[in-house]
Amino acid sequence: MTMSTAETGSLDLSSLHDHNNATSEHPPPPSHQSQQRPVSSTTSDPPVNYSTDALLRQREDEDAEDAMSSSVASSRLNGVVAGQTATKELPKLQAIGELDNGDSYDLVTEDDPASFNLVSPPPAEQTDTFSLEDQTQALFSRSHLQVIFADPTLLLKFTSFLGAHRPQSVPILVHYLDSLKSLRAIHYANAICEGLDPVEGHDFTQKPVKPTINLALEDRAHRAFDVLVTEELPAFVTHQYIQIVSASITARITGALSPHLRDASDGLAEVFCLTDPSRPDNPIVFASDEFNRTTQYGMGYVLGRNCRFLQGPGTNPESVRRLRDAVKAGKQHQEVFLNYRRDGSPFVNLLMIAPLADSRGIIRYHIGAQVDVSGLVKHCSEMDSLQKLMDLRARGEDPPAPEQPNPEKNDELRELSEMLNQGELNIIKRHGGKMHREVAEEDIESTSSQQPRLLLKDPNTVAPLSATVNGRLSGVYQNYLLVRPYPSLRIIFASPAQRLPGILQSPFLNKIGGSNRVLEELTVAFAEGRGVTAKVRWISRGDEQGKNKWIHCTPLVGLQNQIGVWMVVIVDDEQSSTERWPTAAGRLPPSVATPERDSRLSANGQRTFASSQNGQGHHYEANGGGSIGSGSFTSLRIG
């Protein structure tokens, strides 16, 4: 591991560690390190905390970290990364149409009388054919986490994630790092012993000293690292992918996605299913059309079955266990799975689930949102550590094991010093080499005068982690409603962010402001069961004027292809988040297209609906496998 002192000192997670212990009956006393003050030569040094926990301090509050994640996701909607002038394209999530063997099957268009080829010749035989299953296994492998621990920047990202989103896992991280520091101290002692030269005339110095080996400590470090690989690495990967997916889906819903990515994200935001835990084996009772298209399983097969039919030989059993435990405990959960379509082809599935409780808090259903992120895995998008691992494997190399001396560094003292905390470094700064030189009193005082900045946080100000979060999904799906089908259109479930007093069982269309014609056109769209994406005027309690919002409505169907519930995702209008619709004359909200309006086929085969408003024509496109609609041939793109 090449983590420098300055870099490790910026990891500040001790406040979360203290918060975890604050719930016990007798909270621990303050750390000795936080009580250090300048000392003179006549005073003894205070006890030093040798734990790596002193290095792991949270840089910012969890709320600030979450706000930064949202800001970064929002800043990518137009392909621009905050703080940079250059544009950065959002990565392609899916790998549709990309063949694993690299064969493109290009058509032969030239008229060559001597040729009988209709498609281009096959490529030369490749020894390293891409395998999505192998790459996914590498993504969650021990080697991947070893690459992360070998790079200070990647390690900082990983530990910051644990401190902000999984503080309950900080103790096992600290335990591993302290075990690792102990092993590196042994390696340094062995290196010194190896350098002991025999002294002539003293027979006891002639026999070499055997290296010290602590098998129990090595086993403890190995097991702690296994826990990080099994539990924390998947959570870290899932969190990273949720940030990318949220930005991509938000950009698609709001129309900010670039044209070629629209094709690649066809139907991306419409893969939902609803399960009923009151029935044996928690079967699927409703699913969207895009769920069937993504998995290739028809509705007749899907309904009444548990979703485990998507599992296959490469599915991680630990991921299945975490999902099963979350459903049993009634908790929201997100996980990245290697799943399989009906034809046996693998795809990487980002699954986000949440329980849906009624007004009495009884869990009635579970909602599941799925996104195919095979493209992210295949191209190592936004995952530099995975790209480094694949580069190492391409060269036939393995990443360095943190528990063993790094042959590239060949310096045991350097590897140990990289893990020292600030308290230990202060002791070395004040007393290092004192045995071999004369130290003046003023020198000691000067080296002790500059104390590290303290981070003090009242544990009472840290929001406790709730055991269950009713209906919470991640990323762009944090704001959603589940609405009964037409003609009821009542809101039956809502995400925590939308679950305001009185919203359950209230009419959904009451949330839409504007003219009666807007409500009529929305009603027609719901009545005909056509998925719709629309920019609307959203009315909320205390805000009668409303705000600009995008609503992305997807029907979930059940037996006999009847709509059972609507999933409505609500997204802020980033371009005019502070803008209000005028109360009088002026700009009107966009109308909703319906199939009953004037329709015609466009040049690309899509059906276009035209409406007019104040003499101006507005055209909306129903996607028939194209790229401008919301993905399904039964859905409309509005706005």
Side-chain angles (χ1 to χ4, degrees):
M1 184 173 63
T2 61
M3 181 168 55
S4 66
T5 302
E7 289 162 326
T8 55
S10 64
L11 305 180
D12 200 341
L13 309 179
S14 65
S15 57
L16 286 177
H17 182 67
D18 294 339
H19 170 60
N20 292 339
N21 295 331
T23 56
S24 62
E25 182 178 359
H26 302 289
S31 170
H32 293 296
Q33 182 182 344
S34 63
Q35 298 175 347
Q36 289 183 0
R37 288 177 172 82
V39 295
S40 65
S41 59
T42 58
T43 61
S44 61
D45 294 317
V48 178
N49 179 7
Y50 295 107
S51 173
T52 309
D53 179 56
L55 282 180
L56 303 177
R57 299 185 179 275
Q58 186 182 18
R59 295 171 297 166
E60 297 178 320
D61 293 342
E62 183 176 354
D63 292 341
E65 207 276 343
D66 288 338
M68 178 63 70
S69 298
S70 300
S71 174
V72 171
S74 299
S75 68
R76 291 180 176 175
L77 298 186
N78 294 319
V80 179
V81 177
Q84 297 182 6
T85 56
T87 60
K88 182 178 181 181
E89 187 77 76
L90 282 166
K92 186 177 179 181
L93 302 186
Q94 299 170 308
I96 298 176
E98 299 181 12
L99 302 177
D100 291 349
N101 59 10
D103 198 340
S104 58
Y105 294 92
D106 293 329
L107 298 180
V108 175
T109 57
E110 66 269 11
D111 185 14
D112 184 1
S115 173
F116 292 90
N117 291 330
L118 297 177
V119 295
S120 59
E125 216 174 297
Q126 299 179 355
T127 56
D128 297 330
T129 302
F130 173 80
S131 169
L132 184 61
E133 292 175 298
D134 292 344
Q135 188 116 331
T136 306
Q137 290 177 0
L139 179 65
F140 299 112
S141 67
R142 183 183 185 87
S143 297
H144 186 193
L145 192 58
Q146 288 174 342
V147 169
I148 293 175
F149 268 77
D151 187 299
T153 302
L154 299 175
L155 182 59
L156 174 61
K157 197 172 184 180
F158 177 73
T159 55
S160 298
F161 159 75
L162 293 185
H165 299 279
R166 294 177 65 85
Q168 73 277 11
S169 301
V170 171
I172 189 63
L173 172 66
V174 172
H175 190 90
Y176 170 70
L177 292 176
D178 285 345
S179 301
L180 183 60
K181 184 195 293 187
S182 302
L183 289 174
R184 292 188 176 181
I186 293 176
H187 297 159
Y188 176 54
N190 288 337
I192 296 176
C193 292
E194 188 178 351
L196 290 176
D197 296 326
V199 179
E200 188 176 352
H202 297 278
D203 294 340
F204 68 89
T205 66
Q206 305 299 319
K207 187 177 181 180
V209 179
K210 293 183 179 179
T212 300
I213 299 176
N214 192 324
L215 296 179
L217 184 60
E218 292 179 0
D219 179 69
R220 174 171 297 193
H222 187 88
R223 291 190 180 189
F225 195 80
D226 282 344
V227 173
L228 295 176
V229 171
T230 303
E231 302 296 333
E232 308 312 323
L233 179 60
F236 174 69
V237 170
T238 301
H239 175 76
Q240 294 299 110
Y241 284 168
I242 286 177
Q243 307 310 307
I244 307 170
V245 165
S246 297
S248 296
I249 292 181
T250 302
R252 177 171 178 80
I253 291 176
T254 59
L257 206 59
S258 59
H260 75 279
L261 285 180
R262 290 194 204 122
D263 293 333
S265 62
D266 191 28
L268 190 66
E270 297 138 26
V271 185
F272 302 107
C273 65
L274 199 75
T275 65
D276 188 350
S278 67
R279 287 180 163 83
D281 207 23
N282 192 24
I284 297 174
V285 292
F286 298 116
S288 63
D289 288 336
E290 289 300 329
F291 179 90
N292 303 126
R293 192 177 77 162
T294 299
T295 65
Q296 298 178 353
Y297 286 95
M299 196 66 70
Y301 184 88
V302 167
L303 296 179
R305 294 179 183 268
N306 186 283
C307 58
R308 71 172 62 90
F309 60 81
L310 295 176
Q311 299 174 21
T315 304
N316 189 340
E318 296 297 332
S319 298
V320 176
R321 172 187 58 79
R322 283 189 291 267
L323 178 63
R324 181 177 60 248
D325 293 345
V327 171
K328 185 177 180 180
K331 296 180 179 179
Q332 65 91 20
H333 187 67
Q334 50 276 336
E335 192 83 30
V336 174
F337 286 91
L338 180 64
N339 282 157
Y340 295 82
R341 299 183 179 90
R342 188 166 191 170
D343 64 0
S345 61
F347 70 101
V348 183
N349 185 13
L350 171 59
L351 173 64
M352 295 162 280
I353 66 164
L356 301 176
D358 59 20
S359 57
R360 296 176 296 173
I362 299 176
I363 296 176
R364 306 296 299 273
Y365 304 99
H366 286 92
I367 182 67
Q370 304 181 37
V371 181
D372 181 358
V373 292
S374 303
L376 296 182
V377 177
K378 180 174 183 178
H379 302 293
C380 304
S381 302
E382 302 297 319
M383 196 67 66
D384 295 339
S385 51
L386 179 61
Q387 185 62 61
K388 286 189 175 184
L389 175 61
M390 303 317 296
D391 292 343
L392 284 173
R393 291 187 172 182
R395 298 194 299 265
E397 302 175 9
D398 294 323
E403 301 88 358
Q404 301 298 326
N406 192 330
E408 293 184 1
K409 296 180 182 178
N410 194 26
D411 190 340
E412 288 82 358
L413 178 58
R414 173 186 168 185
E415 292 190 72
L416 174 61
S417 64
E418 289 171 350
M419 299 199 67
L420 301 180
N421 62 41
Q422 193 61 47
E424 295 165 330
L425 292 174
N426 287 340
I427 292 294
I428 294 175
K429 189 175 182 180
R430 290 201 306 272
H431 304 288
K434 185 190 295 187
M435 184 177 181
H436 308 294
R437 61 185 173 90
E438 221 176 290
V439 182
E441 180 177 339
E442 56 271 17
D443 292 337
I444 298 179
E445 293 180 353
S446 64
T447 58
S448 305
S449 59
Q450 186 174 0
Q451 295 298 306
R453 181 181 296 273
L454 300 179
L455 175 63
L456 302 178
K457 182 183 293 185
D458 185 355
N460 295 327
T461 63
V462 181
L465 296 174
S466 57
T468 60
V469 182
N470 172 33
R472 180 184 177 186
L473 290 177
S474 300
V476 69
Y477 295 122
Q478 289 181 353
N479 296 279
Y480 67 85
L481 304 171
L482 278 95
V483 179
R484 287 191 182 276
Y486 179 85
S488 171
L489 296 182
R490 288 187 177 273
I491 299 172
I492 185 172
F493 298 110
S495 65
Q498 296 292 325
R499 190 162 179 167
L500 302 176
I503 192 171
L504 297 186
Q505 301 297 347
S506 66
F508 169 73
L509 294 182
N510 285 358
K511 310 293 288 184
I512 308 299
S515 65
N516 291 332
R517 184 175 64 178
V518 174
L519 297 178
E520 291 172 0
E521 292 174 338
L522 266 176
T523 303
V524 171
F526 279 107
E528 296 185 346
R530 298 181 68 88
V532 59
T533 299
K535 184 178 180 181
V536 300
R537 174 181 167 186
W538 188 257
I539 303 298
S540 59
R541 177 174 294 185
D543 185 8
E544 296 300 327
Q545 300 302 319
K547 295 181 180 179
N548 296 349
K549 301 277 187 179
W550 287 87
I551 58 173
H552 189 72
C553 312
T554 303
L556 278 66
V557 301
L559 289 175
Q560 299 178 353
N561 210 33
Q562 293 182 342
I563 296 176
V565 69
W566 285 83
M567 178 72 167
V568 180
V569 179
I570 305 168
V571 176
D572 289 333
D573 181 21
E574 299 290 342
Q575 296 180 349
S576 55
S577 58
T578 60
E579 182 183 354
R580 296 287 197 276
W581 294 108
T583 56
R587 180 182 175 193
L588 295 176
S591 61
V592 178
T594 66
E596 295 181 348
R597 314 297 288 266
D598 177 30
S599 65
R600 58 187 179 274
L601 286 177
S602 60
N604 60 2
Q606 293 180 330
R607 187 167 297 279
T608 303
F609 301 92
S611 65
S612 103
Q613 196 175 72
N614 292 343
Q616 297 179 348
H618 301 272
H619 299 278
Y620 314 97
E621 298 187 3
N623 191 1
S627 62
I628 299 181
S630 58
S632 169
F633 70 95
T634 59
S635 61
L636 302 174
R637 166 78 187 176
I638 304 168

